[in-house]
């Protein structure tokens, strides 16, 4: 196998200048965005060429004989707004197939609106006129440092930060405008997927590597406010992944190999009206980390599929699935250092698997269409840790979590457009199960040299299996007024559940929202929105029982967030976009830890489980700031984005005093630049800056007393987030080169993360000093270290190592 791949690469280099029959093609289907009916006679034109065609009676088109390179594809039709798909990379290996929806022009009376309809860089819609960004699959694929990972790419958008500069740059947590990582929801073709990362934090969302295959995606839409009322449980953002359909004309695929993974994607027709997409990926991170002598061994698989079947001209059936298997283990390093030994003792092994499967039916009706979706998702999480890594020794058990979360969902919505009014309404029902068999040592019983107890044991042990129903309903109406200058959208939703004490009352979660957009001039738009949003408490919290077996969190209320946003958009050209937005978010009913007195909104950026403890929902919070964003779509050879965000994020604990949250970075700056050279060479550069994150210092006496029995230091929550780390900054570079052959394409890429070797500030780590060869702890009296740490010598590890991570790999299309 290795010899075969090497032969292919060498052959490509030797014959890369061969031009024999190197041509690509693009196909697709065009429908009406509001009604979903086919649009015939749409003009489809490759910009900068004489190549083009028109759609047939079924809305299909095909353009052949295209020289391989990047193009913009323009769609024009009488009565519809122009649409341009940017940066489509044509190769001889794969035929691009796109699904396009054109938006009707309601009226042609106003010249301003006719010009506006030709602006194709715009990302907003009538329902969500602001706080929205869109990414194409090529923007994700070519993102420097992104490693084909959607979660990493999103962190360069305005208002978005990650946990780089806190727990480290290796995680994919998505922090939107100062909210917690678990305030976002994710939808794949209209079906909710609760887990999008490997080794996910239960009760939150982040992890070190994304699950979704970028080769499946048509585009990604991020809404950080003004959410459509159809989406439940979102406090900070809704992330919508729209998958493309498999190619209806031929079987094709690609193989991707890099230093960290091997992935394969395949697609094609199953019948005249049925297509498929399928992929599998295997990581090799454990081999890389072994080679560089890191003690961690992350290993994962993931799988994804989509089957699309057109039953008739009005009805489409879609089946989707995505799943992952994760195994996080450890091995003793060949060369011991305090840092490596800390990781070995403080971090716990994780075994996880999860899946989401769904089936959706979409049918055209008079003036619109309806959607029906049935889905099931399951998350299985096992975490165990023992003193001295003595696995299986119950006397040394620190933690044992065996948890499952299962959701069975039914969604139905109706969408109509009548005389310029866009109306949508629908409902959702979910049957939820949460199974937890948990043990956690909070403090171990400790005695002094005389045998006197100086600290009693504090631990939590419970076995809990709960099940209940969740319900919700929504309605949304939108319309343009004043010759289409003014667009208004208003919606309301309500949610309920059968588990919490007041959960069955739908009036408690009434969540109205309204947004408006006004065209000030040909190139300027003023936008604003006000909305109320609610989220049920995470299942890990609801299923928690105290040591008496009592479900103590049934009194938890839905967390509430009110958003106030105003902004303007300037579109000087069809390819250029500038936005400015100011936002204010106000939180109430935020979960607060009874044990520690802190807001759980400060948690979620690390591994483990968030919320398996007694809480009260009395916390409050605020997040406010402003964003600047500039975007240049592909014109000739250049594309890029620049964004800056200033934000303040504050939450209160049991003392009702608002303090800086863990996500209060203040300044976020990102820059992405891409340039396409001749002969299919491409260069990309990304830079990110995040202001220093707040952190909590250690409780030094308690840390010394408990370090040997819990493996980490204990934080001093009376000084919560009183200190700040240094600012985080890093730059990534990516170089791509493509060789096109008769029916195959080779894409060789080099991706260098943190190429100038900047330090990565992260939370400091508490440990004890060791001897020169790191085989034992040093002590103050030269005697063996005592379990209560009384003769230990405390030591704080800085945890700000710099590392350059080069990745070389290739993609073969066939």
């Amino acid at each position: 196998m290795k010899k075969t791949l090497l032969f292919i690469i060498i052959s490509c280099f030797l014959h890369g200048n061969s031009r024999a029959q190197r041509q690509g093609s693009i196909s697709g289907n065009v429908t009406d965005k509001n009604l979903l009916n086919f649009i015939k006679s749409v003009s489809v034109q490759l910009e900068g060429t004489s190549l083009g065609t028109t759609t047939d009676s079924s809305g299909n088109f095909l353009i052949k004989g295209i020289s391989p390179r990047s193009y913009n594809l323009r769609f024009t039709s009488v009565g519809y707004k122009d649409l341009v798909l940017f940066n489509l990379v044509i190769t001889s290996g794969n035929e691009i197939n796109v699904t396009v929806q054109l938006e009707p022009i309601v009226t042609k009376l106003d010249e301003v609106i006719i010009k506006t309809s030709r602006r194709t860089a715009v990302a907003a819609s009538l329902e969500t006129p602001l706080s929205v960004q869109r990414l194409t699959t090529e923007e994700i694929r070519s993102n420097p440092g992104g490693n084909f990972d959607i979660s990493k790419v999103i962190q360069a958008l305005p208002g978005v930060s990650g946990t780089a500069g806190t727990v480290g740059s290796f995680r994919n947590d998505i922090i939107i405008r100062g909210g917690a990582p678990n305030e976002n929801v994710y939808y794949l073709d209209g079906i909710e997927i609760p887990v999008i990362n490997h080794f996910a934090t239960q009760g939150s969302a982040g992890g070190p590597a994304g699950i979704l295959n970028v080769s499946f995606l048509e585009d990604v839409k991020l809404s950080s406010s003004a959410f459509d009322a159809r989406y439940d449980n979102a406090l900070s953002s809704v992330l919508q992944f729209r998958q493309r359909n498999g190619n209806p004309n031929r079987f094709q695929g690609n193989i991707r190999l890099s230093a960290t993974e091997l992935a394969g994607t395949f697609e094609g027709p199953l019948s005249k009206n049925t297509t498929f997409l399928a992929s599998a990926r295997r990581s090799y991170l454990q081999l890389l980390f072994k080679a560089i002598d890191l003690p961690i061994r992350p290993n994962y698989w993931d799988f994804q599929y989509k089957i699309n079947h057109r039953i008739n001209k009005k009805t489409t059936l879609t089946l989707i699935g995505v799943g992952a298997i994760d195994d996080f283990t450890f091995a003793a390093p060949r060369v011991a250092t305090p840092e490596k030994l800390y990781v070995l003792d403080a971090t716990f092994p994780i075994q996880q698997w999860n899946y989401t499967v769904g089936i959706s039916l979409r049918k055209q009706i008079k003036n619109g269409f309806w959607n029906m979706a049935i889905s099931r998702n399951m998350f299985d999480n096992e975490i165990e840790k023992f003193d001295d890594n003595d696995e299986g020794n119950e006397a040394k058990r620190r933690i044992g979590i065996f948890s499952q979360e299962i959701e069975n969902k039914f969604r139905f919505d109706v969408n109509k457009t009548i005389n310029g009014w866009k109306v949508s309404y629908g409902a959702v029902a979910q049957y939820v199960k949460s199974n937890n068999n948990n043990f956690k040592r909070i403090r171990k019983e400790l005695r002094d040299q005389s045998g006197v107890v100086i600290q009693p044991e504090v631990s939590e042990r419970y076995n809990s299996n709960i099940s209940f129903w969740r319900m919700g309903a929504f309605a949304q109406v939108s319309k343009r007024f004043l010759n289409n200058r003014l667009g208004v959208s208003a919606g309301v939703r309500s949610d309920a559940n059968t588990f919490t004490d007041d959960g069955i009352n739908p009036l408690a979660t009434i969540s109205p929202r309204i947004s408006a957009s006004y065209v000030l001039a040909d190139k300027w738009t003023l936008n604003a929105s006000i909305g109320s949003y609610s989220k049920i408490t995470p299942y890990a919290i609801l299923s928690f029982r105290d040591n008496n077996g009592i479900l103590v969190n049934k009194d938890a209320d839905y967390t509430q967030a009110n958003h106030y946003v105003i902004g303007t958009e300037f579109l000087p050209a069809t390819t250029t976009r500038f936005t400015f937005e100011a936002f204010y978010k106000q939180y109430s009913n935020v979960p607060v830890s009874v044990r520690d007195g802190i807001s759980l909104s400060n948690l979620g950026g690390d591994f483990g489980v968030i919320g398996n403890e007694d809480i009260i929902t009395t916390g409050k919070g605020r997040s406010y700031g402003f964003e600047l964003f500039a975007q240049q779509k592909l014109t000739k050879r250049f594309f890029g984005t620049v964004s800056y965000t200033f934000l303040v994020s504050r939450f209160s604990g049991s003392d009702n005093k608002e303090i800086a949250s863990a996500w209060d970075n203040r300044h976020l700056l990102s820059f992405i630049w891409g340039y396409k050279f001749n002969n299919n060479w491409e260069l990309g550069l990304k830079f990110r800056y995040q202001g220093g994150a707040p952190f909590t210092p250690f409780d030094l006496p308690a840390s010394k007393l408990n370090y040997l029995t819990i493996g980490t230091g204990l934080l001093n929550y009376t000084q919560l987030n009183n200190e700040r780390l240094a600012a985080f900054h890093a730059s990534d570079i990516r170089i791509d080169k493509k060789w096109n052959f008769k029916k195959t394409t080779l894409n060789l890429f080099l991706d260098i993360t943190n190429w100038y070797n900047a330090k990565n500030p992260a939370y400091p780590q508490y440990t004890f000093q060791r001897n020169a060869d790191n085989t034992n702890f040093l002590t103050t009296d030269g005697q063996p270290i005592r379990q209560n740490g009384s003769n230990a010598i405390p030591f704080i590890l800085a945890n700000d190592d710099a590392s350059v991570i080069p990745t070389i790999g290739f993609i073969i299309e066939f």
Side-chain angles (χ1 to χ4, degrees):
M1 178 65 179
K2 292 182 178 179
K3 291 181 178 179
T4 301
L5 293 174
L6 182 61
F7 174 76
I8 292 173
I9 295 173
I10 293 173
S11 298
C12 292
F13 274 93
L14 292 177
H15 303 287
N17 291 324
S18 172
R19 296 183 173 271
Q21 302 184 49
R22 292 187 307 156
Q23 293 183 334
S25 59
I26 185 170
S27 61
N29 181 262
V30 184
T31 59
D32 184 295
K33 183 178 181 180
N34 295 337
L35 306 178
L36 295 188
N37 55 284
F38 303 132
I39 309 176
K40 65 178 182 179
S41 302
V42 176
S43 173
V44 185
Q45 180 70 37
L46 273 179
E47 293 188 342
T49 77
S50 59
L51 297 176
T53 187
T54 57
T55 57
D56 61 19
S57 60
S58 296
N60 296 318
F61 70 90
L62 173 64
I63 304 175
K64 295 182 177 181
I66 308 172
S67 298
R69 63 178 179 87
S70 296
Y71 296 89
N72 296 336
L73 187 66
R74 178 176 290 275
F75 298 83
T76 57
S77 181
V78 176
Y80 290 90
K81 296 181 180 181
D82 290 3
L83 177 69
V84 175
L85 300 181
F86 292 92
N87 200 5
L88 297 176
V89 180
I90 303 297
T91 66
S92 59
N94 283 176
E95 175 184 283
I96 292 180
N97 183 263
V98 297
T99 301
V100 175
Q101 294 181 340
L102 296 185
E103 185 176 354
I105 299 175
V106 178
T107 178
K108 297 183 181 180
L109 295 177
D110 194 316
E111 183 181 358
V112 170
I113 303 306
I114 292 175
K115 291 181 179 179
T116 302
S117 72
R118 298 182 183 277
R119 297 195 195 128
T120 52
V122 67
S125 64
L126 177 58
E127 294 84 0
T128 307
L130 77 173
S131 302
V132 59
Q133 305 292 338
R134 291 181 184 272
L135 292 170
T136 67
T137 182
E138 182 59 25
E139 288 170 329
I140 298 169
R141 184 184 291 114
S142 62
N143 186 275
N147 196 28
F148 308 96
D149 194 326
I150 300 162
S151 298
K152 285 185 171 65
V153 176
I154 289 168
Q155 292 175 17
L157 294 176
V160 185
S161 61
T163 47
T166 55
V167 298
S169 59
F170 57 88
R171 284 181 59 90
N172 280 350
D173 302 276
I174 299 174
I175 317 299
I176 307 291
R177 290 179 171 176
N182 65 355
E183 295 179 9
N184 315 302
V185 295
Y186 312 97
Y187 284 84
L188 186 67
D189 287 347
I191 291 176
E192 186 177 2
I193 49 171
V195 180
I196 65 169
N197 286 298
H198 291 282
F199 308 105
T201 302
Q202 189 174 350
S204 189
I211 293 175
L212 297 180
N213 184 349
V214 66
S215 296
F216 274 54
L217 298 181
E218 193 102 66
D219 61 42
V220 178
K221 177 182 176 182
L222 173 67
S223 303
S224 51
S225 193
F227 319 137
D228 193 306
R230 73 182 69 236
Y231 302 113
D232 62 303
N233 234 34
L235 294 181
S236 278
S237 80
V238 176
L239 198 57
Q240 301 170 62
F241 305 99
R242 187 166 67 97
Q243 297 183 113
R244 62 187 182 86
N245 294 327
N247 193 293
N249 302 316
R250 72 185 200 188
F251 175 82
Q252 60 183 31
N254 67 72
I255 301 293
R256 184 175 76 241
L257 178 66
S258 71
T260 60
E261 64 183 22
L262 172 65
T265 303
F266 308 93
E267 62 177 298
L270 293 175
S271 68
K272 179 181 178 181
N273 296 317
T274 308
T275 62
F276 82 95
L277 274 167
S279 73
R281 178 172 59 158
R282 170 77 158 88
S283 79
Y284 291 107
L285 281 172
Q286 74 277 22
L287 302 180
L288 174 63
F289 290 167
K290 181 180 180 180
I292 60 178
D293 197 28
L294 290 179
I296 58 176
R297 298 290 187 270
N299 181 25
Y300 61 80
W301 290 79
D302 56 53
F303 313 90
Q304 195 168 337
Y305 71 83
K306 177 181 180 180
I307 298 174
N308 189 75
H309 174 65
R310 182 168 288 280
I311 299 174
N312 53 49
K313 289 186 176 181
K314 293 187 176 182
T315 311
T316 301
L317 180 71
T318 303
L319 292 84
I320 70 165
V322 59
I325 302 171
D326 303 334
D327 184 22
F328 195 100
T329 57
F330 298 88
R334 295 187 298 272
V335 179
T337 66
E339 292 79 9
K340 293 177 183 178
L341 294 175
Y342 176 87
V343 170
L344 197 62
D345 190 50
T347 314
F348 34 75
I350 302 173
Q351 283 74 47
Q352 290 183 358
W353 55 264
N354 70 83
Y355 68 81
T356 298
V357 293
I359 179 171
S360 64
L361 190 67
R362 174 174 288 188
K363 182 176 176 61
Q364 296 177 40
I365 57 177
K366 184 179 180 180
N367 299 320
F369 60 94
W370 56 255
N371 291 304
M372 181 176 68
I374 300 172
S375 64
R376 175 182 171 90
N377 54 263
M378 185 171 181
F379 177 74
D380 186 281
N381 189 26
E382 295 186 10
I383 299 173
E384 294 188 274
K385 187 68 175 180
F386 300 85
D387 293 339
D388 305 318
N389 291 311
D390 188 3
E391 295 186 15
N393 188 338
E394 290 300 319
K396 293 186 175 183
R397 180 181 290 276
R398 293 180 186 172
I399 189 170
I401 295 176
F402 306 91
S403 178
Q404 292 181 333
E405 295 181 354
I406 307 164
E407 295 176 317
N408 302 280
K409 304 179 182 181
F410 173 82
R411 294 179 181 273
F412 185 82
D413 60 78
V414 177
N415 307 269
K416 291 188 174 184
T417 302
I418 305 173
N419 296 325
W421 290 87
K422 298 184 70 173
V423 180
S424 60
Y425 54 90
V428 58
Q430 307 181 40
Y431 181 65
V432 176
K433 295 185 69 176
S434 179
N435 306 318
N436 289 277
N437 184 358
N438 286 5
F439 170 80
K440 183 178 182 180
R441 179 200 295 165
I442 310 298
R443 305 282 188 274
K444 189 174 182 177
E445 180 184 283
L446 296 174
R447 299 172 181 266
D448 62 17
Q449 289 177 281
S450 302
V452 177
V453 175
I454 57 176
Q455 175 179 274
E457 179 172 324
V458 179
S459 62
E460 296 172 344
R461 183 190 300 273
Y462 65 95
N463 193 338
S464 182
N465 301 296
I466 64 172
S467 59
F468 59 95
W469 285 92
R470 289 175 54 191
M471 302 79 69
F474 80 93
Q476 186 107 12
V477 60
S478 308
K479 179 78 166 69
R480 295 192 184 276
F481 303 93
L482 303 178
N483 288 329
N484 285 350
R485 281 185 177 272
L486 175 65
V488 179
S489 183
V492 64
R493 76 166 293 117
S494 177
D495 294 280
N497 74 84
T498 61
F499 181 79
T500 58
D501 293 341
D502 298 324
I504 201 63
N505 178 14
L507 298 179
T509 58
I510 290 291
S511 302
R513 71 278 320 260
I514 186 169
S515 59
S517 176
Y518 186 78
V519 179
L520 298 171
D522 177 33
K523 298 178 173 62
W524 289 90
T525 306
L526 180 66
N527 309 298
S529 71
I530 300 175
S532 178
Y533 311 97
S534 63
K535 172 182 171 60
I536 193 170
T537 308
Y539 301 145
I541 293 177
L542 298 181
S543 63
F544 173 78
R545 296 177 186 266
D546 64 15
N547 289 338
N548 296 316
I550 306 299
L551 290 165
V552 295
N553 292 326
K554 292 194 70 173
D555 58 350
D557 294 319
Y558 280 76
T559 305
Q560 303 283 338
N562 296 324
H563 291 204
Y564 308 89
V565 188
I566 188 169
T568 185
E569 184 176 56
F570 175 54
L571 299 165
T574 59
T575 56
T576 309
R577 176 176 175 236
F578 296 92
T579 65
F580 169 83
E581 291 184 10
F583 60 88
Y584 184 90
K585 296 196 294 186
Q586 187 175 38
Y587 292 85
S588 59
N589 301 338
V590 179
V592 173
S593 169
V594 171
R595 182 180 65 238
D596 298 323
I598 67 169
S599 171
L600 297 195
S601 290
N602 282 298
L603 307 178
D606 208 343
F607 298 102
V609 179
I610 303 303
N612 52 347
E613 59 180 301
D614 189 6
I615 60 99
I616 52 176
T617 50
T618 59
K620 298 183 183 300
R622 290 181 299 154
S623 178
Y624 56 89
F626 64 88
E627 300 170 353
L628 294 165
F629 180 65
Q631 181 178 34
Q632 176 63 53
K633 290 288 189 176
L634 178 66
T635 53
K636 295 184 179 179
R637 299 182 182 276
F638 165 77
F639 60 95
T641 64
V642 179
S643 71
Y644 170 76
T645 303
F646 172 80
L647 68 88
V648 175
S649 175
R650 303 175 68 84
F651 284 90
S652 69
S654 57
D655 60 359
N656 294 318
K657 179 183 177 182
E658 287 189 0
I659 62 172
S661 79
W663 325 116
D664 185 49
N665 294 96
R666 299 298 173 95
H667 302 283
L668 308 174
L669 175 66
S670 68
F671 166 82
I672 297 177
W673 174 87
Y675 193 85
K676 294 179 179 287
F677 297 90
N678 292 329
N679 298 318
N680 293 310
W681 284 91
E682 183 173 342
L683 176 65
L685 182 68
K686 178 171 70 176
F687 174 81
R688 284 192 301 140
Y689 173 92
Q690 290 182 193
F695 75 96
T696 304
F698 291 108
D699 183 330
L700 296 178
S703 296
K704 185 176 183 180
L705 189 66
N706 290 277
Y707 174 73
L708 291 178
T709 58
I710 63 174
T712 62
L714 293 176
L715 301 181
N716 184 355
Y717 288 124
T718 63
Q719 299 182 47
L720 181 66
N721 292 338
N722 271 6
E723 300 185 21
R724 282 186 182 267
L725 297 170
F728 164 83
H729 58 89
S731 181
D732 312 320
I733 191 169
R734 181 183 172 102
I735 302 171
D736 284 79
K737 166 61 178 172
K738 294 182 178 66
W739 289 268
N740 288 280
F741 304 95
K742 184 176 180 181
K743 292 184 178 180
T744 59
T745 298
L746 172 67
N747 179 8
L748 187 67
F749 62 87
L750 172 65
D751 203 331
I752 305 175
T753 301
N754 192 23
W755 61 268
Y756 62 77
N757 201 32
K759 286 188 175 183
N760 181 20
Y763 297 146
Q765 299 165 340
Y766 182 97
T767 186
F768 293 156
Q769 285 191 25
R770 296 178 179 269
N771 58 15
D773 59 3
N774 292 299
T775 55
N776 286 296
F777 290 110
L778 293 175
T779 58
T780 56
D781 55 8
Q783 299 298 311
I785 194 166
R786 302 186 189 103
Q787 191 177 49
N788 63 17
S790 58
N791 61 342
I793 303 174
F795 182 66
I796 305 296
L797 295 173
N799 198 22
D800 61 352
D801 291 342
S803 59
V804 177
I805 304 176
T807 299
I808 188 169
F810 64 85
I811 304 170
I812 298 176
E813 299 178 0
F814 54 88

